[in-house]
Amino acid sequence: MRKYRKTEHIENFLRSTYVGDALFSDIFLYNDSIPEINYDEIDTSVDFLNKRVKFPLMINAMTGGSNLSEEINRNLANVALEFDLPMAVGSQTIALEDEDSRKSFEIVREIIKDGIVISNLSGFSSVEDAKKAVELLRADAIQIHLNPAQELVQTEGERNFCGILKNVEEIVKKSEVPVIVKEVGFGMSPKTVKKLYDIGVRYVDISGYGGTNFFEIENLRDPNSDISDLFSWGIPTALSLIEAKRLNLKDLCIISAGGLKNSMDIVKSIVAGASMAAISGEVLSYIVRGGYEYTLKYVDGIIEKTKMLMMLSGAKNIAELQKVDYKVTGKLKELLEG
Ligand code: FNR
């Protein structure tokens, strides 16, 4: 059942056509005509999960558990290795239940070697399962996903979320590796971020609206139901990010995800308060439709263009980029002021 769901998620992601707006176009950055920076000395490296990585972009959680997933994970891991990008695997519940499916996850650690690999389980998982998931990959961290919107529209999905915060707190308290709590494309409200911070969470991945849309994916999985009226639900990524940052919570690492596709989205994410950016859908689409070599070109282009935008913003490293001024316009401005 789970194995089919994995494949169906990928296939239906690729069939999806709905286009949301993460509102990055409402973030405005200034051009610096006197940057006084040598392009070749621009430093894009950052500290993340106790390691130094070359670039503030990770490949976010997607898959594992089926033959198709194994092939995709192998390709994604090779891309991650090539550019020293952290990579998260998809939910490992299937790997805990079915030994045969483990290889499709383990391959990620085998390929990435000493780089950053991140486990993934749901907010309902037990502390023991979280530990097992981490052990399986010798993971540097574990993502715990919160996906009530997605669960509600799955016929087999969870409908009772009572006690989930307490459960996440247990995992955070007992985990030996950092815990990243993440959404899956509907965004986190400032209230959610604060609640997570108060139980000890120091890494949030806000995965907002504007990219992968699980309402549409689930709708495509089940031709007998029509939930197209729900497709516009969710907090646009740029709004979720800026509101999380404005909480001013000490030592909170915010990962910007949801609808990121290019260097402009990454740069704007960092300027608006993210410590790390993450992409899922767009990189999956490149791998499946364009192949491995084409994906390498895509990521290489992202890195080069990010450096150009850093130079034009007057920032020679990521710490300076985080301090760059920006303005908000349009709908994003209205939402922030409303
Ligand atoms: C996902 N995502 C996801 N997240 C998670 O925590 N566990 C999972 O197993 C999955 N599975 C999954 C499958 C597929 C096919 C996609 C495209 C995505 C959600 C993902 O990590 C991310 O939060 C959202 O997709 C938003 O980012 P993008 O896709 O808009 O860049």
Side-chain angles (χ1 to χ4, degrees), residues 81-132:
L81 176 72
E82 182 68 29
F83 296 102
D84 184 30
L85 307 180
M87 174 173 162
V89 298
S91 177
Q92 288 171 264
T93 309
I94 189 169
L96 300 176
E97 289 168 357
D98 168 16
E99 274 193 37
D100 294 344
S101 77
R102 289 188 187 163
K103 177 94 175 72
S104 62
F105 293 93
E106 286 165 343
I107 188 146
V108 173
R109 173 50 86 197
E110 279 166 30
I111 292 170
I112 290 188
K113 301 187 187 83
D114 297 329
I116 297 179
V117 176
I118 302 166
S119 280
N120 186 291
L121 278 181
S122 102
F124 286 112
S125 308
S126 67
V127 171
E128 293 71 48
D129 280 353
K131 287 191 171 165
K132 275 188 223 154

Side-chain angles (χ1 to χ4, degrees), residues 6 9-10 13 60-63 89-92 120-121 143-146 182-185 205 207-208 210-212 214 217 257-261 278-282 284:
K6 299 283 162 184
H9 276 160
I10 294 166
F13 164 78
N60 218 351
M62 273 181 282
T63 202
V89 298
S91 177
Q92 288 171 264
N120 186 291
L121 278 181
Q143 288 181 328
I144 296 296
H145 63 258
L146 302 176
K182 78 184 285 288
E183 244 293 340
V184 299
D205 168 338
S207 275
T212 298
F214 270 104
I217 293 176
L260 275 67
K261 291 184 165 54
I279 300 186
S280 288
E282 189 71 357
L284 176 63

Side-chain angles (χ1 to χ4, degrees), residues 188-222:
M188 278 188 196
S189 69
K191 225 181 194 172
T192 298
V193 174
K194 181 69 169 65
K195 276 187 194 166
L196 293 172
Y197 186 83
D198 288 344
I199 59 160
V201 175
R202 291 297 176 266
Y203 293 85
V204 289
D205 168 338
I206 53 155
S207 275
Y209 169 88
T212 298
N213 188 317
F214 270 104
F215 278 151
E216 188 190 13
I217 293 176
E218 297 299 344
N219 200 48
L220 289 165
R221 276 182 73 208
D222 181 1

Side-chain angles (χ1 to χ4, degrees), residues 34-283:
I34 326 171
E36 298 280 357
I37 291 169
N38 176 353
Y39 182 84
D40 294 333
E41 286 171 11
I42 290 174
D43 179 6
T44 58
S45 66
V46 279
D47 286 324
F48 186 57
L49 299 170
N50 308 316
K51 286 184 179 165
R52 190 84 185 158
V53 294
K54 287 188 190 142
F55 191 75
L57 173 66
M58 59 179 270
I59 297 176
N60 218 351
M62 273 181 282
T63 202
S66 67
N67 291 340
L68 175 64
S69 303
E70 184 172 327
E71 186 54 26
I72 288 171
N73 275 347
R74 178 181 293 113
N75 277 311
L76 292 173
N78 275 308
V79 173
L81 176 72
E82 182 68 29
F83 296 102
D84 184 30
L85 307 180
M87 174 173 162
V89 298
S91 177
Q92 288 171 264
T93 309
I94 189 169
L96 300 176
E97 289 168 357
D98 168 16
E99 274 193 37
D100 294 344
S101 77
R102 289 188 187 163
K103 177 94 175 72
S104 62
F105 293 93
E106 286 165 343
I107 188 146
V108 173
R109 173 50 86 197
E110 279 166 30
I111 292 170
I112 290 188
K113 301 187 187 83
D114 297 329
I116 297 179
V117 176
I118 302 166
S119 280
N120 186 291
L121 278 181
S122 102
F124 286 112
S125 308
S126 67
V127 171
E128 293 71 48
D129 280 353
K131 287 191 171 165
K132 275 188 223 154
V134 168
E135 263 167 41
L136 207 68
L137 299 177
R138 285 176 287 112
D140 297 273
I142 182 165
Q143 288 181 328
I144 296 296
H145 63 258
L146 302 176
N147 63 340
Q150 183 188 10
E151 295 283 346
L152 280 177
V153 298
Q154 283 179 344
T155 10
E156 71 278 19
E158 187 62 59
R159 289 184 157 247
N160 180 358
F161 290 84
C162 298
I164 190 155
L165 189 64
K166 191 86 206 139
N167 196 60
V168 174
E169 183 175 9
E170 275 298 297
I171 298 174
V172 173
K173 289 218 166 98
K174 309 235 167 93
S175 174
E176 279 153 22
V177 295
V179 176
I180 302 168
V181 180
K182 78 184 285 288
E183 244 293 340
V184 299
F186 297 94
M188 278 188 196
S189 69
K191 225 181 194 172
T192 298
V193 174
K194 181 69 169 65
K195 276 187 194 166
L196 293 172
Y197 186 83
D198 288 344
I199 59 160
V201 175
R202 291 297 176 266
Y203 293 85
V204 289
D205 168 338
I206 53 155
S207 275
Y209 169 88
T212 298
N213 188 317
F214 270 104
F215 278 151
E216 188 190 13
I217 293 176
E218 297 299 344
N219 200 48
L220 289 165
R221 276 182 73 208
D222 181 1
N224 297 319
S225 76
D226 176 12
I227 53 164
S228 54
D229 45 340
L230 303 183
F231 289 0
S232 62
W233 179 258
I235 310 169
T237 301
L239 178 67
S240 185
L241 169 64
I242 293 173
E243 293 204 309
K245 185 66 186 174
R246 285 189 180 173
L247 292 171
N248 249 323
L249 301 170
K250 191 170 172 281
D251 297 330
L252 180 70
C253 168
I254 306 171
I255 299 161
S256 172
L260 275 67
K261 291 184 165 54
N262 54 41
S263 54
M264 190 68 86
D265 300 335
I266 294 171
V267 166
K268 287 181 174 178
S269 289
I270 307 272
V271 171
S275 307
M276 174 62 61
I279 300 186
S280 288
E282 189 71 357
V283 78

